Amino acid sequence: MLNTLIEAFRLISTWEVIVAMFAASVYGLVIGSLPGLSATMATALLVPVTFYLSPIAAIATIVAASSMAIFSGDIPGALLRIPGTPASAAYADEAYAMTMKGEAELALGAGVWFSAVGGIAGVVSLMALAPPLAEIALSFSTFEYFWLALLGLMCATLVARSSPVKAIAGMFIGLLVSCIGIENPGGVPRFTFGLTDLLGGIEPIPALVGVFAVAQVMRAMLTPEPPPIPRRKFGSIMAGQWTLTKKYHWQMTRGNIIGIIIGVLPGAGADMAAWVSYAMSKRFSKEPEKFGTGHVEGLVEAGASNNASIASGWVPSLLFGIPGDTIAAIAIGVLYMKGLNPGPTLFTEKASSMYAIYLMFIIANILMIPLGIAMIRIAAYVLRAPRSTVMPVIMLCCAVGSFAIGNNMFGVVTVAAFGVIGYVMEANGYPVAAMVLGIVMGTMVEQAFVTSLIKSDGSILPFFERPVAAILAAMAIGALLWPVMLWIWRKVKPAQTTSAAAAR
Amino acid sequence: MRLPDSVTGSFLVVLGAAAAYGGWRLPPVPGQPVGPNVFPLVIGTGLALCGLAIVFGIGHSFEEEEELIPVEEGQARAAPTGRFYGLRALLPPALLLFYVVAADRLGFIITAALIVLATSTALGAKWKLALPLAALAPIGIHLIFAKLLRVPLPAGLLPMPW
């Protein structure tokens, strides 16, 4: 254990890792703070750069950029009432109300401090949960993997803030995309329409860049420019945070726990964690009437929650290759590319790399405090950059980055196509995150499904025979039928639901 | 681009049916009960069923709740200023396709400059801002990707000295 830890320290204490981590942190802070550019987009645009880094440095950039971007989304939320990332949208109104009351320092300080604390709580959960789960996972056969993957896909659709039917449809579209190519049980070209470019299938990363970056540029074409940020001088940012920690320690802990649980659920990321925690904070607060008027309590809980979910989202990713959220989906792609194939054996065969990932998370969250404070101080300058200068650069990065993934122009075509698909889906209420998970997990689901069917000689029964498989199957089928039951319930008691919704 | 649910649902029914048919036509693996055809069949059927459910408005009641959540920045639409205003959204993917077609002939710098110029002016930048940006941004990106990361970017008509 100690030897592994020393080895992990040695892995991360190279210049390459240190520089990569610092640069990615600054990059993540800047992208996260620009309204409309999400943490997922920041991470997706980083992928081409990670090709040219060592495995540990590549993971370091993903870890640092995603953690920083989730925090820095709070900055324009507090100063402009425009959340930088969707995860900050839950409490942007509250933070802005505090700014209006002259408490901008306290709101932003709470953002940076409780984000860092939440992030570290998330790493602790990753360290505590992953090894025992890996033990269990080692005894899994393809039957369990099939149900687990299906359960992951179903969770992703359940938690989407949209119609569950549309979310399931989004997931199927993703699975259909993953069918393209010759990587299938028969090794025959499938849905390639005679195009050689499609033989290798659709790579998840260009699809992600298209869905999250190009679609965002497309939306920017039709939406008005956000107002410029007013210049202001900030006082001490960390003042009063210790008092808040003592006063709201229970809220902070609850936020951390909710964040960890939501992070572990496949498909539900920081956005969901922030929304749920903020609602929870208001529900259980002793002074709920203060919410919305510039009250820091909800900020503490939601800020702690969204960063906690980032690290815990890596638990299912590292163990099973099932992404906890879209950022983890990108991380899985990078892990595969770097030969650190996700799976329980990662913990036994590449233990030092695992410890290195834990350490990098901790360092990123500590680094968040000084860098976050610096970012808050210079935010006025960064946020004044007009969208018409940022978006063209994003476009260039999309083009060059997608080309760099395979050194071929087909990547650029893929990015453009998925930009349109993502834009149309989002505009019509189909959650794109469900599609992304479908693309990432499709091959795995099919492999587990077909291998299991071959093993069982075409019989369905063995899918339910092993005890763990039976439990997972019950959960997956329950998740599939849950929207149907809810729908029937609502049809039966429409009046009751309407009044409940009104009360919320 | 907001289409009625009946249109998107019908599209999904057609897509699902096509996928199932395409999967069904794939050759099976001899001596094996399941082949490459099973998964597309399952997905196609599922997709078609979802499409039908969407056409009939099942699950639609869940969407109304979304209105309770405050809209994010960027989602509040400006009033459209013309019939073809919505088509502006297609500019970014069109520019990416332009990159595919033109990059090898014109070279990275010139193609990228044209893309930057088009995007920034479409987003309302003045010439005073758009022209220097179009001149500098491609050089900066070239420096990072071609020089530092060794991505082979086409030189074309305007090769960079490094």
Side-chain angles (χ1 to χ4, degrees), chain A residues 52 82 161 163 166 190 218 221-223 275 388 395 400 403 428 430 446 453-454 486 490, chain B residues 1 3 5 8 26 32 34 36 59 63 65-66 69 73-74 85 88-89 120 149 151-152:
Chain A
Y52 305 92
I82 299 167
R161 289 206 309 268
S163 143
K166 284 190 175 176
R190 192 164 62 177
M218 290 173 73
M221 288 286 164
L222 297 181
T223 51
W275 285 104
S388 53
M395 278 286 287
V400 182
F403 171 78
N428 290 293
Y430 292 83
E446 177 170 21
L453 269 180
I454 291 172
L486 211 62
R490 286 193 182 193
Chain B
M1 277 304 264
L3 302 163
D5 276 357
T8 59
L26 284 170
Q32 215 171 269
V34 279
E63 275 178 77
E65 268 188 54
E66 218 175 344
I69 298 161
E73 186 283 324
Y85 186 78
R88 285 162 51 100
S120 63
L149 301 176
V151 178

mmCIF file of all heavy atoms in Angstrom, chain A residues 52 82 161 163 166 190 218 221-223 275 388 395 400 403 428 430 446 453-454 486 490, chain B residues 1 3 5 8 26 32 34 36 59 63 65-66 69 73-74 85 88-89 120 149 151-152:
data_model
loop_
_atom_site.group_PDB
_atom_site.id
_atom_site.type_symbol
_atom_site.label_atom_id
_atom_site.label_comp_id
_atom_site.label_asym_id
_atom_site.label_seq_id
_atom_site.Cartn_x
_atom_site.Cartn_y
_atom_site.Cartn_z
ATOM 1 N N TYR A 52 -1.478 13.805 -26.745
ATOM 2 C CA TYR A 52 -0.045 14.017 -26.849
ATOM 3 C C TYR A 52 0.618 14.030 -25.477
ATOM 4 O O TYR A 52 1.771 14.380 -25.342
ATOM 5 C CB TYR A 52 0.224 15.317 -27.621
ATOM 6 C CG TYR A 52 -0.480 15.269 -28.950
ATOM 7 C CD1 TYR A 52 -1.755 15.775 -29.107
ATOM 8 C CD2 TYR A 52 0.115 14.623 -30.028
ATOM 9 C CE1 TYR A 52 -2.431 15.670 -30.311
ATOM 10 C CE2 TYR A 52 -0.543 14.513 -31.229
ATOM 11 C CZ TYR A 52 -1.816 15.031 -31.381
ATOM 12 O OH TYR A 52 -2.476 14.915 -32.562
ATOM 13 N N ILE A 82 -26.204 35.014 -14.622
ATOM 14 C CA ILE A 82 -26.135 34.112 -15.768
ATOM 15 C C ILE A 82 -25.209 32.975 -15.367
ATOM 16 O O ILE A 82 -24.004 33.183 -15.257
ATOM 17 C CB ILE A 82 -25.552 34.818 -17.007
ATOM 18 C CG1 ILE A 82 -26.443 35.985 -17.406
ATOM 19 C CG2 ILE A 82 -25.391 33.848 -18.157
ATOM 20 C CD1 ILE A 82 -25.794 36.900 -18.396
ATOM 21 N N ARG A 161 -34.076 15.684 -16.979
ATOM 22 C CA ARG A 161 -35.150 16.650 -16.698
ATOM 23 C C ARG A 161 -36.027 16.798 -17.936
ATOM 24 O O ARG A 161 -36.147 17.845 -18.521
ATOM 25 C CB ARG A 161 -34.548 18.003 -16.338
ATOM 26 C CG ARG A 161 -33.885 18.038 -14.994
ATOM 27 C CD ARG A 161 -33.888 19.450 -14.444
ATOM 28 N NE ARG A 161 -33.380 20.419 -15.391
ATOM 29 C CZ ARG A 161 -32.115 20.789 -15.459
ATOM 30 N NH1 ARG A 161 -31.240 20.284 -14.660
ATOM 31 N NH2 ARG A 161 -31.709 21.695 -16.326
ATOM 32 N N SER A 163 -39.137 14.426 -20.576
ATOM 33 C CA SER A 163 -40.048 13.282 -20.645
ATOM 34 C C SER A 163 -39.235 11.998 -20.645
ATOM 35 O O SER A 163 -38.281 11.878 -21.413
ATOM 36 C CB SER A 163 -40.871 13.389 -21.915
ATOM 37 O OG SER A 163 -41.080 12.126 -22.472
ATOM 38 N N LYS A 166 -38.895 10.444 -24.061
ATOM 39 C CA LYS A 166 -37.923 11.101 -24.939
ATOM 40 C C LYS A 166 -36.503 10.746 -24.523
ATOM 41 O O LYS A 166 -35.612 10.593 -25.357
ATOM 42 C CB LYS A 166 -38.124 12.616 -24.913
ATOM 43 C CG LYS A 166 -39.327 13.048 -25.728
ATOM 44 C CD LYS A 166 -39.377 14.546 -25.891
ATOM 45 C CE LYS A 166 -40.521 14.928 -26.806
ATOM 46 N NZ LYS A 166 -40.673 16.381 -26.910
ATOM 47 N N ARG A 190 -21.853 -2.918 -40.674
ATOM 48 C CA ARG A 190 -23.244 -2.716 -40.282
ATOM 49 C C ARG A 190 -23.571 -1.228 -40.375
ATOM 50 O O ARG A 190 -22.841 -0.406 -39.801
ATOM 51 C CB ARG A 190 -23.414 -3.224 -38.844
ATOM 52 C CG ARG A 190 -24.840 -3.347 -38.405
ATOM 53 C CD ARG A 190 -24.952 -4.208 -37.171
ATOM 54 N NE ARG A 190 -24.247 -3.637 -36.028
ATOM 55 C CZ ARG A 190 -24.245 -4.182 -34.812
ATOM 56 N NH1 ARG A 190 -24.869 -5.295 -34.594
ATOM 57 N NH2 ARG A 190 -23.592 -3.614 -33.827
ATOM 58 N N MET A 218 -24.106 26.937 -32.328
ATOM 59 C CA MET A 218 -25.330 27.096 -33.121
ATOM 60 C C MET A 218 -26.393 27.858 -32.331
ATOM 61 O O MET A 218 -27.071 28.738 -32.865
ATOM 62 C CB MET A 218 -25.875 25.716 -33.519
ATOM 63 C CG MET A 218 -25.015 24.999 -34.536
ATOM 64 S SD MET A 218 -25.569 23.308 -34.840
ATOM 65 C CE MET A 218 -27.055 23.598 -35.790
ATOM 66 N N MET A 221 -25.811 31.557 -32.156
ATOM 67 C CA MET A 221 -26.160 32.298 -33.373
ATOM 68 C C MET A 221 -27.550 32.932 -33.267
ATOM 69 O O MET A 221 -27.849 33.895 -33.953
ATOM 70 C CB MET A 221 -26.152 31.338 -34.569
ATOM 71 C CG MET A 221 -24.778 30.911 -34.988
ATOM 72 S SD MET A 221 -23.966 32.256 -35.837
ATOM 73 C CE MET A 221 -22.275 31.722 -35.784
ATOM 74 N N LEU A 222 -28.402 32.330 -32.457
ATOM 75 C CA LEU A 222 -29.794 32.795 -32.409
ATOM 76 C C LEU A 222 -30.135 33.539 -31.120
ATOM 77 O O LEU A 222 -31.241 34.036 -30.977
ATOM 78 C CB LEU A 222 -30.740 31.597 -32.545
ATOM 79 C CG LEU A 222 -30.672 30.824 -33.856
ATOM 80 C CD1 LEU A 222 -31.671 29.686 -33.845
ATOM 81 C CD2 LEU A 222 -30.936 31.731 -35.036
ATOM 82 N N THR A 223 -29.211 33.574 -30.161
ATOM 83 C CA THR A 223 -29.560 34.178 -28.874
ATOM 84 C C THR A 223 -28.802 35.482 -28.677
ATOM 85 O O THR A 223 -27.696 35.649 -29.191
ATOM 86 C CB THR A 223 -29.213 33.230 -27.715
ATOM 87 O OG1 THR A 223 -27.871 32.812 -27.879
ATOM 88 C CG2 THR A 223 -30.126 32.028 -27.696
ATOM 89 N N TRP A 275 -29.193 20.819 -8.345
ATOM 90 C CA TRP A 275 -30.638 21.061 -8.275
ATOM 91 C C TRP A 275 -31.251 20.362 -7.070
ATOM 92 O O TRP A 275 -32.014 20.944 -6.312
ATOM 93 C CB TRP A 275 -31.344 20.572 -9.544
ATOM 94 C CG TRP A 275 -31.142 21.458 -10.724
ATOM 95 C CD1 TRP A 275 -30.317 21.220 -11.785
ATOM 96 C CD2 TRP A 275 -31.734 22.732 -10.972
ATOM 97 N NE1 TRP A 275 -30.375 22.258 -12.667
ATOM 98 C CE2 TRP A 275 -31.234 23.189 -12.197
ATOM 99 C CE3 TRP A 275 -32.648 23.524 -10.275
ATOM 100 C CZ2 TRP A 275 -31.607 24.408 -12.751
ATOM 101 C CZ3 TRP A 275 -33.027 24.745 -10.833
ATOM 102 C CH2 TRP A 275 -32.509 25.163 -12.047
ATOM 103 N N SER A 388 -18.453 37.102 -29.565
ATOM 104 C CA SER A 388 -18.026 37.032 -30.964
ATOM 105 C C SER A 388 -16.526 36.800 -31.095
ATOM 106 O O SER A 388 -16.026 36.570 -32.190
ATOM 107 C CB SER A 388 -18.430 38.298 -31.709
ATOM 108 O OG SER A 388 -17.963 39.424 -31.004
ATOM 109 N N MET A 395 -14.945 27.270 -32.425
ATOM 110 C CA MET A 395 -15.180 26.614 -33.721
ATOM 111 C C MET A 395 -13.890 26.037 -34.283
ATOM 112 O O MET A 395 -13.853 24.903 -34.756
ATOM 113 C CB MET A 395 -15.742 27.635 -34.714
ATOM 114 C CG MET A 395 -17.216 27.868 -34.603
ATOM 115 S SD MET A 395 -18.130 26.488 -35.254
ATOM 116 C CE MET A 395 -17.850 26.719 -36.992
ATOM 117 N N VAL A 400 -10.081 21.582 -35.615
ATOM 118 C CA VAL A 400 -8.731 21.017 -35.511
ATOM 119 C C VAL A 400 -8.728 19.822 -34.561
ATOM 120 O O VAL A 400 -8.124 18.785 -34.839
ATOM 121 C CB VAL A 400 -7.734 22.087 -35.025
ATOM 122 C CG1 VAL A 400 -6.339 21.512 -34.958
ATOM 123 C CG2 VAL A 400 -7.759 23.273 -35.941
ATOM 124 N N PHE A 403 -10.226 16.753 -36.110
ATOM 125 C CA PHE A 403 -9.299 16.238 -37.122
ATOM 126 C C PHE A 403 -8.172 15.473 -36.441
ATOM 127 O O PHE A 403 -7.783 14.380 -36.851
ATOM 128 C CB PHE A 403 -8.733 17.398 -37.950
ATOM 129 C CG PHE A 403 -7.610 16.998 -38.870
ATOM 130 C CD1 PHE A 403 -7.883 16.344 -40.055
ATOM 131 C CD2 PHE A 403 -6.296 17.261 -38.533
ATOM 132 C CE1 PHE A 403 -6.849 15.960 -40.895
ATOM 133 C CE2 PHE A 403 -5.265 16.872 -39.372
ATOM 134 C CZ PHE A 403 -5.539 16.221 -40.556
ATOM 135 N N ASN A 428 -35.918 20.117 -29.107
ATOM 136 C CA ASN A 428 -37.191 19.407 -29.041
ATOM 137 C C ASN A 428 -37.368 18.591 -27.772
ATOM 138 O O ASN A 428 -38.234 17.719 -27.712
ATOM 139 C CB ASN A 428 -37.343 18.513 -30.269
ATOM 140 C CG ASN A 428 -37.564 19.339 -31.513
ATOM 141 O OD1 ASN A 428 -38.584 19.997 -31.662
ATOM 142 N ND2 ASN A 428 -36.568 19.363 -32.374
ATOM 143 N N TYR A 430 -35.302 16.392 -26.301
ATOM 144 C CA TYR A 430 -34.653 15.086 -26.172
ATOM 145 C C TYR A 430 -33.306 15.285 -25.483
ATOM 146 O O TYR A 430 -32.465 16.015 -26.013
ATOM 147 C CB TYR A 430 -34.426 14.451 -27.553
ATOM 148 C CG TYR A 430 -35.698 14.039 -28.251
ATOM 149 C CD1 TYR A 430 -36.439 14.964 -28.962
ATOM 150 C CD2 TYR A 430 -36.153 12.732 -28.181
ATOM 151 C CE1 TYR A 430 -37.625 14.602 -29.602
ATOM 152 C CE2 TYR A 430 -37.325 12.357 -28.806
ATOM 153 C CZ TYR A 430 -38.057 13.292 -29.518
ATOM 154 O OH TYR A 430 -39.216 12.936 -30.130
ATOM 155 N N GLU A 446 -23.893 -4.341 -26.114
ATOM 156 C CA GLU A 446 -24.090 -5.371 -27.124
ATOM 157 C C GLU A 446 -23.212 -6.583 -26.855
ATOM 158 O O GLU A 446 -23.671 -7.720 -26.935
ATOM 159 C CB GLU A 446 -23.793 -4.824 -28.527
ATOM 160 C CG GLU A 446 -23.936 -5.910 -29.574
ATOM 161 C CD GLU A 446 -23.900 -5.417 -31.001
ATOM 162 O OE1 GLU A 446 -23.388 -4.331 -31.236
ATOM 163 O OE2 GLU A 446 -24.396 -6.159 -31.868
ATOM 164 N N LEU A 453 -26.067 -14.334 -24.534
ATOM 165 C CA LEU A 453 -27.012 -15.147 -25.315
ATOM 166 C C LEU A 453 -26.321 -16.373 -25.908
ATOM 167 O O LEU A 453 -26.898 -17.464 -25.944
ATOM 168 C CB LEU A 453 -27.614 -14.299 -26.437
ATOM 169 C CG LEU A 453 -28.899 -13.554 -26.122
ATOM 170 C CD1 LEU A 453 -29.365 -12.775 -27.335
ATOM 171 C CD2 LEU A 453 -30.003 -14.497 -25.681
ATOM 172 N N ILE A 454 -25.066 -16.197 -26.345
ATOM 173 C CA ILE A 454 -24.336 -17.337 -26.901
ATOM 174 C C ILE A 454 -24.088 -18.370 -25.793
ATOM 175 O O ILE A 454 -24.288 -19.567 -25.982
ATOM 176 C CB ILE A 454 -23.006 -16.868 -27.542
ATOM 177 C CG1 ILE A 454 -23.307 -16.041 -28.800
ATOM 178 C CG2 ILE A 454 -22.125 -18.063 -27.895
ATOM 179 C CD1 ILE A 454 -22.108 -15.372 -29.407
ATOM 180 N N LEU A 486 -45.696 5.605 -13.135
ATOM 181 C CA LEU A 486 -45.921 6.994 -12.738
ATOM 182 C C LEU A 486 -46.981 7.639 -13.620
ATOM 183 O O LEU A 486 -47.825 8.400 -13.164
ATOM 184 C CB LEU A 486 -44.594 7.758 -12.855
ATOM 185 C CG LEU A 486 -44.395 8.886 -11.878
ATOM 186 C CD1 LEU A 486 -44.398 8.370 -10.452
ATOM 187 C CD2 LEU A 486 -43.077 9.600 -12.157
ATOM 188 N N ARG A 490 -50.515 9.122 -12.483
ATOM 189 C CA ARG A 490 -50.934 10.504 -12.755
ATOM 190 C C ARG A 490 -52.278 10.560 -13.465
ATOM 191 O O ARG A 490 -53.060 11.476 -13.263
ATOM 192 C CB ARG A 490 -49.887 11.214 -13.611
ATOM 193 C CG ARG A 490 -48.678 11.564 -12.828
ATOM 194 C CD ARG A 490 -47.833 12.512 -13.603
ATOM 195 N NE ARG A 490 -46.641 12.810 -12.835
ATOM 196 C CZ ARG A 490 -45.816 13.783 -13.126
ATOM 197 N NH1 ARG A 490 -46.039 14.533 -14.157
ATOM 198 N NH2 ARG A 490 -44.762 14.000 -12.383
ATOM 199 N N MET B 1 -36.320 25.751 -34.331
ATOM 200 C CA MET B 1 -36.259 24.340 -34.686
ATOM 201 C C MET B 1 -37.194 23.503 -33.821
ATOM 202 O O MET B 1 -37.072 22.305 -33.775
ATOM 203 C CB MET B 1 -34.819 23.822 -34.534
ATOM 204 C CG MET B 1 -33.943 24.112 -35.725
ATOM 205 S SD MET B 1 -34.633 23.453 -37.264
ATOM 206 C CE MET B 1 -33.777 21.889 -37.376
ATOM 207 N N LEU B 3 -40.057 21.461 -33.224
ATOM 208 C CA LEU B 3 -41.008 20.746 -34.073
ATOM 209 C C LEU B 3 -42.073 20.123 -33.195
ATOM 210 O O LEU B 3 -41.813 19.810 -32.038
ATOM 211 C CB LEU B 3 -40.283 19.640 -34.848
ATOM 212 C CG LEU B 3 -39.119 20.082 -35.737
ATOM 213 C CD1 LEU B 3 -38.257 18.903 -36.108
ATOM 214 C CD2 LEU B 3 -39.635 20.774 -36.977
ATOM 215 N N ASP B 5 -44.363 17.313 -31.473
ATOM 216 C CA ASP B 5 -43.995 15.968 -31.051
ATOM 217 C C ASP B 5 -44.413 14.923 -32.063
ATOM 218 O O ASP B 5 -43.755 13.894 -32.218
ATOM 219 C CB ASP B 5 -44.642 15.643 -29.695
ATOM 220 C CG ASP B 5 -43.802 16.167 -28.545
ATOM 221 O OD1 ASP B 5 -42.714 16.719 -28.829
ATOM 222 O OD2 ASP B 5 -44.225 16.040 -27.390
ATOM 223 N N THR B 8 -41.479 14.698 -34.641
ATOM 224 C CA THR B 8 -40.268 14.015 -34.171
ATOM 225 C C THR B 8 -40.577 12.556 -33.854
ATOM 226 O O THR B 8 -39.775 11.677 -34.145
ATOM 227 C CB THR B 8 -39.678 14.710 -32.927
ATOM 228 O OG1 THR B 8 -40.661 14.712 -31.886
ATOM 229 C CG2 THR B 8 -39.260 16.129 -33.223
ATOM 230 N N LEU B 26 -29.119 -8.354 -42.060
ATOM 231 C CA LEU B 26 -27.703 -8.695 -41.890
ATOM 232 C C LEU B 26 -27.527 -10.209 -41.833
ATOM 233 O O LEU B 26 -28.374 -10.904 -41.272
ATOM 234 C CB LEU B 26 -27.166 -8.077 -40.595
ATOM 235 C CG LEU B 26 -26.878 -6.588 -40.624
ATOM 236 C CD1 LEU B 26 -26.603 -6.090 -39.221
ATOM 237 C CD2 LEU B 26 -25.697 -6.268 -41.517
ATOM 238 N N GLN B 32 -24.335 -20.119 -34.857
ATOM 239 C CA GLN B 32 -24.460 -19.316 -33.643
ATOM 240 C C GLN B 32 -25.882 -18.771 -33.570
ATOM 241 O O GLN B 32 -26.398 -18.275 -34.579
ATOM 242 C CB GLN B 32 -23.465 -18.166 -33.732
ATOM 243 C CG GLN B 32 -22.861 -17.765 -32.405
ATOM 244 C CD GLN B 32 -21.737 -16.783 -32.625
ATOM 245 O OE1 GLN B 32 -20.593 -17.134 -32.779
ATOM 246 N NE2 GLN B 32 -22.087 -15.521 -32.677
ATOM 247 N N VAL B 34 -27.085 -16.144 -32.112
ATOM 248 C CA VAL B 34 -27.225 -14.688 -32.237
ATOM 249 C C VAL B 34 -26.069 -14.126 -33.033
ATOM 250 O O VAL B 34 -24.931 -14.581 -32.911
ATOM 251 C CB VAL B 34 -27.269 -14.012 -30.852
ATOM 252 C CG1 VAL B 34 -28.636 -14.108 -30.245
ATOM 253 C CG2 VAL B 34 -26.227 -14.565 -29.943
ATOM 254 N N PRO B 36 -24.873 -10.371 -35.597
ATOM 255 C CA PRO B 36 -24.896 -8.901 -35.598
ATOM 256 C C PRO B 36 -26.296 -8.337 -35.789
ATOM 257 O O PRO B 36 -26.489 -7.127 -35.687
ATOM 258 C CB PRO B 36 -23.990 -8.545 -36.772
ATOM 259 C CG PRO B 36 -24.011 -9.736 -37.654
ATOM 260 C CD PRO B 36 -24.176 -10.923 -36.762
ATOM 261 N N GLY B 59 -46.040 10.512 -21.699
ATOM 262 C CA GLY B 59 -44.857 11.073 -21.049
ATOM 263 C C GLY B 59 -44.738 12.566 -21.247
ATOM 264 O O GLY B 59 -43.865 13.208 -20.685
ATOM 265 N N GLU B 63 -42.916 16.819 -19.168
ATOM 266 C CA GLU B 63 -42.134 17.921 -19.711
ATOM 267 C C GLU B 63 -42.594 19.265 -19.198
ATOM 268 O O GLU B 63 -41.813 20.186 -19.107
ATOM 269 C CB GLU B 63 -42.211 17.914 -21.233
ATOM 270 C CG GLU B 63 -41.194 16.992 -21.838
ATOM 271 C CD GLU B 63 -41.319 16.967 -23.332
ATOM 272 O OE1 GLU B 63 -40.855 17.929 -23.937
ATOM 273 O OE2 GLU B 63 -41.892 16.012 -23.870
ATOM 274 N N GLU B 65 -43.317 20.171 -16.361
ATOM 275 C CA GLU B 65 -42.666 20.548 -15.115
ATOM 276 C C GLU B 65 -41.420 21.380 -15.349
ATOM 277 O O GLU B 65 -41.031 22.172 -14.530
ATOM 278 C CB GLU B 65 -42.271 19.288 -14.347
ATOM 279 C CG GLU B 65 -43.338 18.845 -13.389
ATOM 280 C CD GLU B 65 -42.836 17.725 -12.532
ATOM 281 O OE1 GLU B 65 -41.782 17.905 -11.907
ATOM 282 O OE2 GLU B 65 -43.487 16.678 -12.516
ATOM 283 N N GLU B 66 -40.804 21.151 -16.506
ATOM 284 C CA GLU B 66 -39.552 21.826 -16.803
ATOM 285 C C GLU B 66 -39.719 23.341 -16.791
ATOM 286 O O GLU B 66 -38.771 24.070 -16.537
ATOM 287 C CB GLU B 66 -39.031 21.363 -18.153
ATOM 288 C CG GLU B 66 -37.545 21.223 -18.153
ATOM 289 C CD GLU B 66 -37.029 20.643 -19.452
ATOM 290 O OE1 GLU B 66 -37.825 20.072 -20.214
ATOM 291 O OE2 GLU B 66 -35.839 20.786 -19.683
ATOM 292 N N ILE B 69 -38.528 25.242 -13.803
ATOM 293 C CA ILE B 69 -37.102 25.505 -13.625
ATOM 294 C C ILE B 69 -36.756 26.780 -14.388
ATOM 295 O O ILE B 69 -37.130 26.913 -15.554
ATOM 296 C CB ILE B 69 -36.289 24.316 -14.161
ATOM 297 C CG1 ILE B 69 -36.633 23.076 -13.353
ATOM 298 C CG2 ILE B 69 -34.797 24.592 -14.134
ATOM 299 C CD1 ILE B 69 -36.263 21.783 -14.040
ATOM 300 N N GLU B 73 -29.342 30.826 -19.089
ATOM 301 C CA GLU B 73 -28.921 31.873 -20.000
ATOM 302 C C GLU B 73 -28.720 31.246 -21.372
ATOM 303 O O GLU B 73 -28.229 30.139 -21.498
ATOM 304 C CB GLU B 73 -27.580 32.454 -19.523
ATOM 305 C CG GLU B 73 -27.123 33.644 -20.307
ATOM 306 C CD GLU B 73 -26.532 33.278 -21.655
ATOM 307 O OE1 GLU B 73 -25.861 32.255 -21.776
ATOM 308 O OE2 GLU B 73 -26.783 34.039 -22.590
ATOM 309 N N GLY B 74 -29.082 31.977 -22.404
ATOM 310 C CA GLY B 74 -28.867 31.452 -23.739
ATOM 311 C C GLY B 74 -30.095 30.733 -24.246
ATOM 312 O O GLY B 74 -30.199 30.454 -25.421
ATOM 313 N N TYR B 85 -34.326 33.622 -40.232
ATOM 314 C CA TYR B 85 -33.450 33.886 -39.087
ATOM 315 C C TYR B 85 -32.946 32.583 -38.481
ATOM 316 O O TYR B 85 -31.782 32.447 -38.136
ATOM 317 C CB TYR B 85 -34.210 34.692 -38.040
ATOM 318 C CG TYR B 85 -33.355 35.148 -36.888
ATOM 319 C CD1 TYR B 85 -32.515 36.241 -37.042
ATOM 320 C CD2 TYR B 85 -33.375 34.473 -35.676
ATOM 321 C CE1 TYR B 85 -31.720 36.651 -35.999
ATOM 322 C CE2 TYR B 85 -32.581 34.885 -34.632
ATOM 323 C CZ TYR B 85 -31.760 35.980 -34.788
ATOM 324 O OH TYR B 85 -30.960 36.377 -33.753
ATOM 325 N N ARG B 88 -29.707 30.722 -39.498
ATOM 326 C CA ARG B 88 -28.375 31.156 -39.051
ATOM 327 C C ARG B 88 -27.710 30.088 -38.213
ATOM 328 O O ARG B 88 -26.492 29.966 -38.195
ATOM 329 C CB ARG B 88 -28.492 32.427 -38.198
ATOM 330 C CG ARG B 88 -28.769 33.678 -38.964
ATOM 331 C CD ARG B 88 -29.299 34.742 -38.017
ATOM 332 N NE ARG B 88 -28.427 34.885 -36.852
ATOM 333 C CZ ARG B 88 -27.517 35.843 -36.723
ATOM 334 N NH1 ARG B 88 -27.366 36.722 -37.666
ATOM 335 N NH2 ARG B 88 -26.783 35.911 -35.649
ATOM 336 N N ALA B 89 -28.533 29.312 -37.510
ATOM 337 C CA ALA B 89 -27.978 28.266 -36.645
ATOM 338 C C ALA B 89 -27.184 27.246 -37.438
ATOM 339 O O ALA B 89 -26.308 26.585 -36.900
ATOM 340 C CB ALA B 89 -29.103 27.577 -35.883
ATOM 341 N N SER B 120 -17.443 35.289 -36.339
ATOM 342 C CA SER B 120 -17.486 36.474 -35.481
ATOM 343 C C SER B 120 -18.393 37.557 -36.052
ATOM 344 O O SER B 120 -19.120 38.207 -35.304
ATOM 345 C CB SER B 120 -16.075 37.004 -35.213
ATOM 346 O OG SER B 120 -15.481 37.407 -36.399
ATOM 347 N N LEU B 149 1.701 20.248 -30.600
ATOM 348 C CA LEU B 149 1.085 18.918 -30.500
ATOM 349 C C LEU B 149 1.327 18.067 -31.749
ATOM 350 O O LEU B 149 0.886 16.926 -31.815
ATOM 351 C CB LEU B 149 -0.419 19.050 -30.239
ATOM 352 C CG LEU B 149 -0.796 19.805 -28.973
ATOM 353 C CD1 LEU B 149 -2.301 19.961 -28.873
ATOM 354 C CD2 LEU B 149 -0.285 19.064 -27.755
ATOM 355 N N VAL B 151 0.087 18.030 -34.765
ATOM 356 C CA VAL B 151 -1.034 17.619 -35.602
ATOM 357 C C VAL B 151 -0.705 18.069 -37.026
ATOM 358 O O VAL B 151 -0.363 19.236 -37.238
ATOM 359 C CB VAL B 151 -2.352 18.289 -35.145
ATOM 360 C CG1 VAL B 151 -3.510 17.896 -36.045
ATOM 361 C CG2 VAL B 151 -2.654 17.911 -33.715
ATOM 362 N N PRO B 152 -0.766 17.161 -38.011
ATOM 363 C CA PRO B 152 -0.406 17.573 -39.377
ATOM 364 C C PRO B 152 -1.487 18.439 -40.018
ATOM 365 O O PRO B 152 -2.426 17.930 -40.627
ATOM 366 C CB PRO B 152 -0.250 16.238 -40.106
ATOM 367 C CG PRO B 152 -1.089 15.275 -39.344
ATOM 368 C CD PRO B 152 -1.131 15.743 -37.920
#
